[in-house]
Amino acid sequence: MASKVQNLDISRLETAYSDVLFARRICQLYFFMLVFEMLLNVYNFGMDLLNWMLSGFSQDQASQLIEFSQFEPGIVALALAILGIAWLLYYIYSSFRPAWWALALCFAALLVNVYVGFINAGTYEMEWAQEAEADLTWAQQLVPYLYMAGLIPLHIYFFGIAVKGQMAIHGLTEDERALLSEYHDTPRPFLDAAKSLANVPEAIRYAKGRIWSGALMVFAGVANFMNFWRVAIVFIFICLLPIIALMLFPNIGQAFTALAEGRSLGRVISDLVVVAIILAFYLGIVMLIPWAIGKLARLSVRRAENRMRNSLEGIQHKDDRAPILFLRSFLNDAVPIAGKTQSLKHWLLDGAGAQDTLDMMILAEGTRLGPTVALGNPDDPAPPYGVARGYFDHSDWKEAVMGLCERSAAIILVLDQTEGVEWEIGHIAARKYVCKTLFLLAPEDIGTERGNRLLGNALARATKADVSEMSDLLTQRNEEPAMGFMLADDAPQLLTVTKAKQYAYLAAIRRFFRLLPANFAKEIPSGASDET
């Protein structure tokens, strides 16, 4: 039997998915930046309109308002064009389409963003000079260029990520691209890309008040990019240090003059302290805004998740498709996903993290195919966010599992050494549900003696092979440990990894869903034999 076991290296798919994921995250970043700028423009226009109305409709303010309204359509049109490019690029990357020409669009969008920042910085300096009724000094004229210099290094880095994403896509086979595509066999891929770009999850279909819940998730989309805002602010501040030094220089010069003449430094020091306090105040406010937005975004996520939380009974009334069943030990209820690599791109573009637990990942992936369901721990004070829980007494949970296994289109089982999980493995094997089951290890068990024992036992029972033979096979795979297995072409397929990373689980789940021979729109018939 061991000779029939196939191997699939998930690590390669995980690496490719990670590279492409961060390329499309850049599209999301600029999407939210442009949306923020457009909302800011709307706010400015609204305030000008309110000013004009409250001032008695003066002629001067009316002309300013007309001038403002005539200028804005050009900016709005440019922003909409960049939004369209971000949408198209997001679709190309998330559907794993090989397209080198997409890099030209990416470069153009980044270039326009730098240019708009340059123009905005120059506009602010001009307004500053007009309010002060003075000409721009040569130092003030440098501000837009220094502002641009603060953004260019980050933009070059982001373009490199986009190039790496396309290289990863081109390095995959056509079947692997179809496997990892976000929109494989979906009827409206471009619209699905728009929804995903705006950070609206599939589970929104089950939410109470979809529009409000969707709006909360759109706002929460900024949470992933809080680290980027902070770094951008620091970069720009560093580049503006020469201007700040020039602001302080006259006071510093006066200090040296006072020292040379033996005069008191009290007035000069007080002036320096005032300037330093003003600079610290403005920098603190600027740094506080991303922090506040991040806090509000996380509150929005929790609020939206509460509105999307469902019970097993409730979700079956909302969705009559065959369910996706998630089985695990209650001791391992929220299976934590392995930590992400703390690289610069992770820190900049994934600050809030993606799915933190396996059931959240199953919810995100499985909802496209059917309602995701599981048995809940009776000791839960409230159902957690994730797959919909059903709560049963200790005496009738087996009957509930038997019914759900029969009706389900797919089963995902996390192996553990408990009586309940052992019974579930036996039931799945006896009722011939192995063909629609993905067996997974928890991250801490991958590559360990305990993990090999759990996997070998499940593999032997699922395929009616010798337990010791399967355990020996797994023990020999020290360099490429197995994280789980499924059946492919009537043969067990081991899913191997070099490290248990977050996106390895996503690649494994997505491969399982894509290769299932069942039609998810139909109910899968039960097996012929009974549980013994």
Side-chain angles (χ1 to χ4, degrees):
M1 182 65 193
S3 60
K4 295 182 179 181
V5 176
Q6 303 172 356
N7 295 319
L8 174 67
D9 183 12
I10 290 295
S11 297
R12 180 170 174 271
L13 296 177
E14 185 274 338
T15 301
Y17 184 84
S18 179
D19 290 339
V20 175
L21 170 71
F22 287 104
R24 73 180 195 185
R25 281 278 172 83
I26 294 172
C27 303
Q28 277 188 307
L29 167 64
Y30 284 96
F31 170 80
F32 288 118
M33 287 176 62
L34 287 168
V35 169
F36 177 76
E37 288 179 6
M38 293 176 71
L39 290 176
L40 189 60
N41 285 333
V42 171
Y43 169 78
N44 288 334
F45 180 78
M47 293 303 296
D48 286 344
L49 180 61
L50 184 63
N51 254 344
W52 178 52
M53 295 173 64
L54 294 177
S55 62
F57 309 99
S58 69
Q59 188 65 34
D60 290 341
Q61 288 188 340
S63 62
Q64 291 176 8
L65 184 64
I66 292 172
E67 181 182 352
F68 179 79
S69 64
Q70 288 177 341
F71 176 72
E72 281 307 297
I75 298 296
V76 172
L78 179 62
L80 289 175
I82 302 300
L83 279 177
I85 291 175
W87 184 1
L88 177 60
L89 288 172
Y90 187 88
Y91 170 75
I92 288 172
Y93 278 103
S94 55
S95 59
F96 282 74
R97 292 181 178 271
W100 288 116
W101 56 266
L103 294 176
L105 288 179
C106 183
F107 182 78
L110 296 176
L111 194 64
V112 168
N113 184 266
V114 172
Y115 177 73
V116 170
F118 172 80
I119 295 299
N120 287 339
T123 302
Y124 295 147
E125 290 302 312
M126 289 295 296
E127 291 176 352
W128 182 14
Q130 288 174 2
E131 291 176 2
E133 297 182 354
D135 295 330
L136 282 172
T137 64
W138 66 270
Q140 290 170 338
Q141 293 175 12
L142 283 176
V143 168
Y145 298 96
L146 294 173
Y147 178 88
M148 184 172 64
L151 290 180
I152 285 177
L154 282 176
H155 284 63
I156 292 174
Y157 178 66
F158 287 158
F159 184 70
I161 292 176
V163 172
K164 190 175 181 181
Q166 271 298 318
M167 291 175 63
I169 293 174
H170 280 78
L172 297 172
T173 66
E174 186 174 349
D175 290 340
E176 289 171 334
R177 292 171 194 154
L179 173 70
L180 293 176
S181 171
E182 300 284 340
Y183 319 115
H184 181 70
D185 291 338
T186 56
R188 299 178 302 176
F190 212 54
L191 290 177
D192 288 343
K195 186 166 64 174
S196 178
L197 175 63
N199 199 51
V200 179
E202 285 290 327
I204 202 73
R205 67 171 69 200
Y206 305 127
K208 299 176 182 177
R210 295 183 188 179
I211 296 177
W212 175 242
S213 300
L216 287 173
M217 292 304 294
V218 170
F219 176 72
V222 301
N224 274 337
F225 307 112
M226 283 302 100
N227 290 333
F228 165 77
W229 304 120
R230 295 186 185 98
V231 170
I233 290 169
V234 170
F235 265 57
I236 293 169
F237 181 77
I238 290 173
C239 290
L240 292 179
L241 280 178
I243 303 300
I244 296 171
L246 288 172
M247 293 171 60
L248 297 174
F249 184 76
N251 292 323
I252 296 174
Q254 292 176 17
F256 280 112
T257 302
L259 282 173
E261 296 177 355
R263 292 186 285 109
S264 172
L265 295 177
R267 179 60 183 271
V268 176
I269 292 175
S270 66
D271 289 344
L272 284 171
V273 169
V274 169
V275 173
I277 290 174
I278 292 173
L279 287 174
F281 174 78
Y282 277 106
L283 182 62
I285 290 295
V286 169
M287 294 297 288
L288 183 64
I289 290 173
W291 176 85
I293 292 176
K295 286 292 185 181
L296 289 173
R298 286 167 177 81
L299 287 173
S300 297
V301 169
R302 286 196 289 271
R303 178 68 176 170
E305 287 177 351
N306 287 337
R307 299 175 70 89
M308 287 186 283
R309 187 177 287 122
N310 283 276
S311 67
L312 178 60
E313 181 180 3
I315 203 170
Q316 288 178 325
H317 281 93
K318 296 176 182 178
D319 195 336
D320 58 359
R321 294 177 296 171
I324 311 298
L325 177 60
F326 179 44
L327 298 174
R328 76 280 175 238
S329 166
F330 289 154
L331 298 175
N332 201 17
D333 191 16
V335 182
I337 299 297
K340 301 177 289 296
T341 304
Q342 293 303 311
S343 63
L344 178 60
K345 66 180 181 181
H346 282 85
W347 189 79
L348 282 176
L349 298 171
D350 198 20
Q355 292 84 16
D356 297 319
T357 60
L358 186 56
D359 63 336
M360 292 172 65
M361 183 176 287
I362 294 171
L363 175 67
E365 294 296 312
T367 302
R368 300 173 185 175
L369 309 172
T372 56
V373 299
L375 268 64
N377 188 342
D379 297 329
D380 283 341
Y385 176 70
V387 301
R389 260 69 166 177
Y391 292 88
F392 302 89
D393 294 333
H394 292 289
S395 59
D396 58 2
W397 72 269
K398 291 183 180 180
E399 287 76 8
V401 170
M402 291 170 65
L404 289 170
C405 284
E406 182 178 359
R407 295 193 306 272
S408 66
I411 304 170
I412 298 177
L413 187 147
V414 179
L415 300 173
D416 205 346
Q417 198 168 356
T418 64
E419 183 180 348
V421 172
E422 287 290 321
W423 180 88
E424 288 165 350
I425 295 173
H427 177 70
I428 289 171
R431 297 288 288 180
K432 301 181 181 178
Y433 296 144
V434 176
C435 62
K436 62 174 182 177
T437 302
L438 171 64
F439 298 85
L440 291 174
L441 287 174
E444 63 270 16
D445 289 330
I446 297 177
T448 66
E449 181 181 351
R450 167 187 156 89
N452 289 337
R453 185 173 65 253
L454 291 172
L455 202 56
N457 175 59
L459 188 57
R461 297 181 68 181
T463 58
K464 295 181 173 55
D466 183 75
V467 175
S468 60
E469 182 183 10
M470 292 295 103
S471 298
D472 291 343
L473 172 67
L474 294 167
T475 303
Q476 295 169 5
R477 310 188 59 84
N478 292 327
E479 295 183 0
E480 294 182 350
M483 63 178 292
F485 74 93
M486 57 172 288
L487 290 189
D489 299 324
D490 296 326
Q493 185 173 75
L494 283 177
L495 307 174
T496 60
V497 291
T498 52
K499 291 183 180 179
K501 297 181 182 179
Q502 177 184 14
Y503 303 118
Y505 281 90
L506 187 143
I509 292 171
R510 199 165 283 180
R511 177 173 178 80
F512 168 63
F513 284 153
R514 301 289 163 80
L515 296 186
L516 267 178
N519 183 349
F520 284 101
K522 299 179 180 179
E523 183 178 336
I524 296 180
S526 61
S529 61
D530 294 327
E531 173 66 15
T532 56

